[in-house]
């Protein structure tokens, strides 16, 4: 209340001082300073004082309605706000520019991205709906028509400071003789709310993106685990099926194969839950698998391995190498009467690593067995989930016969662990 009374008193005092000066000028013009300004000037002065009082009361009342409180900061015709934004200067400038441009009745928006400043003008509410007031309505003709807005962004370390200035589009006299009825306070609050809303929207978007990434990560883990669970039974089924055949034809060799299988499982089961492995580990596992097959195929199976030791640390999905070897045996060499050779080759390049399993078996369209393709399908999906989109599997005809399957792995895969 004290701030309101102080404002009204100061406003009336300013008008009274202005009228005293105007009265002296009036007397000088019409009576040569010998007499007072007269009753006509007195009526005019009374009208202006009543108008000034009404303007001050209207200003106080509207500020109370807009702000909900009355103090020096809310009653002032010039408002200043300072906002800290958790973003770099470019992002902060874009947010401030959009917030200022959204103000009602805004016009002449000038943006300077280089100096990180936004300047605009906001028209005040026009009670005359665009029509000119009466020529005798002097206060309406002299009223201030719009307010100015100046926003400046100051860069910081990971944050930006936004300074907002709202003031009448007039000179110093507006602070004494004219009141804005809370329009600058209203503009200041509107821009501050708009900035806060945009920052909150951005944070919600970032949070939603992070949650979506987490969901996709969890889905990838679940999907990868399912694919891995499908690979293990696939291998065990093929091995036990081979052992079953040998129990009827050569029980001694079947017993020997089961012994190798037990040894294979003993070394493999501790890693069953590991989705990622290394080329060196997978090579040892595959060699154990091939030893099991040698028991049944004998001289019909030959193996050649050319994998440089420096590539043993390359990471790839567990059972990936063995999946390609299984396909080569089942669809290429096993149906071929004379058997053949399997080559396991690895080569390192600047931007990728290749691992190839080739055979000289029957080749495309010549085998007597057909599969479901689940092994290769799962391998492609596991490579995509664990090694990225750059990885993959390419299958081509080998010369002069057989098939060559090549896995492509990114070189960064040497550093990668299972992050899915």
């Amino acid at each position: 209340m004290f701030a309101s009374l102080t404002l009204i008193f100061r406003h009336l005092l300013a008008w009274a001082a202005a009228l005293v000066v105007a009265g002296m000028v009036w007397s000088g013009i019409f009576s040569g300073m010998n007499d007072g300004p007269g009753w006509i000037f007195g009526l005019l002065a009374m009208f202006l004082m009543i108008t000034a009082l009404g303007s001050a009361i209207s200003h106080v009342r509207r500020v109370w309605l807009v702000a909900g409180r009355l103090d020096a900061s809310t009653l002032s015709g010039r408002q200043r706000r300072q906002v800290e934004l958790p973003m770099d200067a470019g992002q902060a400038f874009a947010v401030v520019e959009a917030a200022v441009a959204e103000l009602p009745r805004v016009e002449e928006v000038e943006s300077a991205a280089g100096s990180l400043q936004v300047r605009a003008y906001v028209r005040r509410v026009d009670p005359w709906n665009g029509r000119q007031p009466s020529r005798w309505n002097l206060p309406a003709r002299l009223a201030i028509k719009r307010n100015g807005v100046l926003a400046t962004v100051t860069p910081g370390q990971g944050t930006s400071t936004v300074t907002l200035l709202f003031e009448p589009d007039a000179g110093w006299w507006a602070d004494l003789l004219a009141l804005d009825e809370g329009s600058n306070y209203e503009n200041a609050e509107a821009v501050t709310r708009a900035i806060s809303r945009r920052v909150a929207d951005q944070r919600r978007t970032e949070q939603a993106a992070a949650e979506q990434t987490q969901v996709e990560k969890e889905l990838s883990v679940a999907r990868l685990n399912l694919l891995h669970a499908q690979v293990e039974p696939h291998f065990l089924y093929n091995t036990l099926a081979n052992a079953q055949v040998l129990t009827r034809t050569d029980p001694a060799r079947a017993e020997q194969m089961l012994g190798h299988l037990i040894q294979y499982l003993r070394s493999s089961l501790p890693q069953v839950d590991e989705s990622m492995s290394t080329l060196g580990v997978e090579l040892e596992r595959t060699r154990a698998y091939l030893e099991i097959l040698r028991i049944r195929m004998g001289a019909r199976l030959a193996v050649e391995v050319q994998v440089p030791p420096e590539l043993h640390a390359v990471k790839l999905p567990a059972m990936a190498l063995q999946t390609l070897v299984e396909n080569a045996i089942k669809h290429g060499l096993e149906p071929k009467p004379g058997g053949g050779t399997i080559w396991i080759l690895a080569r390192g390049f600047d931007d990728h690593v290749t691992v190839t399993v080739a055979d000289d078996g029957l080749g495309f369209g010549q085998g007597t067995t057909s599969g479901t393709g689940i092994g290769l399908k799962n391998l492609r999906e596991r490579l995509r989930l664990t090694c990225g989109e750059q990885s993959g599997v390419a299958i081509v005809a080998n010369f002069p016969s057989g098939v060559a399957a090549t896995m492509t792995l990114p070189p960064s895969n040497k550093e990668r662990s299972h992050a899915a």
Side-chain angles (χ1 to χ4, degrees), residues 202-277:
Q202 181 175 339
R203 289 293 171 264
R204 279 193 295 268
T205 301
E206 293 174 354
Q207 184 177 2
E211 291 175 355
Q212 180 66 22
T213 301
Q214 180 64 26
V215 170
E216 292 176 353
K217 177 181 177 181
E218 293 174 356
L219 288 176
S220 295
V221 171
R223 196 173 179 183
L224 193 59
N225 291 338
L226 176 61
L227 294 173
H228 187 65
Q230 291 174 330
V231 169
E232 296 293 346
H234 184 64
F235 158 67
L236 292 176
Y237 169 79
N238 288 340
T239 304
L240 292 176
N242 292 334
Q244 184 181 26
V245 173
L246 284 179
T247 57
R248 294 194 296 267
T249 59
D250 192 340
R253 294 180 68 192
E255 183 179 358
Q256 186 180 5
M257 176 180 284
L258 291 175
H260 283 293
L261 177 60
I262 292 172
Q263 182 179 0
Y264 169 85
L265 292 176
R266 184 179 294 115
S267 63
S268 300
L269 285 178
Q271 289 82 34
V272 145
D273 292 332
E274 296 289 339
S275 295
M276 292 297 290
S277 182

Side-chain angles (χ1 to χ4, degrees), residues 22-41:
M24 295 173 62
V25 173
W26 182 286
S27 297
I29 294 175
F30 295 101
S31 59
M33 299 296 292
N34 295 323
D35 299 316
W39 64 271
I40 296 177
F41 182 83

Side-chain angles (χ1 to χ4, degrees), residues 122-169:
V122 182
R123 287 183 292 105
R124 294 186 181 180
V125 176
D126 184 8
W128 308 100
N129 295 323
R131 295 169 301 164
Q132 288 293 330
S134 169
R135 70 178 63 183
W136 305 107
N137 191 346
L138 187 60
R141 281 188 166 274
L142 297 179
I144 300 172
K145 302 298 190 300
R146 60 183 189 175
N147 296 319
V149 180
L150 176 62
T152 304
V153 178
T154 303
Q157 295 294 329
T159 62
S160 298
T161 301
V162 179
T163 303
L164 302 166
L165 182 61
F166 304 84
E167 55 187 353
D169 184 23

Side-chain angles (χ1 to χ4, degrees), residues 17 30-31 70 169 173 220 231 241 249 253 272 277 296 299-300 312 323-324 337 340 356 384 417:
F30 295 101
S31 59
L70 296 173
D169 184 23
W173 58 268
S220 295
V231 169
T249 59
R253 294 180 68 192
V272 145
S277 182
R296 182 169 57 84
R300 294 176 59 239
H312 283 192
T323 297
L324 299 181
T356 300
R384 184 184 69 82
S417 62

Side-chain angles (χ1 to χ4, degrees), residues 58-104:
S58 176
H59 173 79
V60 171
R61 181 174 179 273
R62 192 167 188 280
V63 169
W64 167 256
L65 293 175
V66 172
R69 70 181 194 278
L70 296 173
D71 53 38
S73 62
T74 58
L75 290 170
S76 174
R78 298 180 188 270
Q79 298 287 327
R80 183 179 184 273
R81 298 288 188 274
Q82 188 164 305
V83 184
E84 295 289 335
L85 299 183
M87 55 184 64
D88 59 39
Q91 291 177 308
F93 178 79
V95 168
V96 172
E97 182 182 28
V100 172
E102 289 178 348
L103 279 172

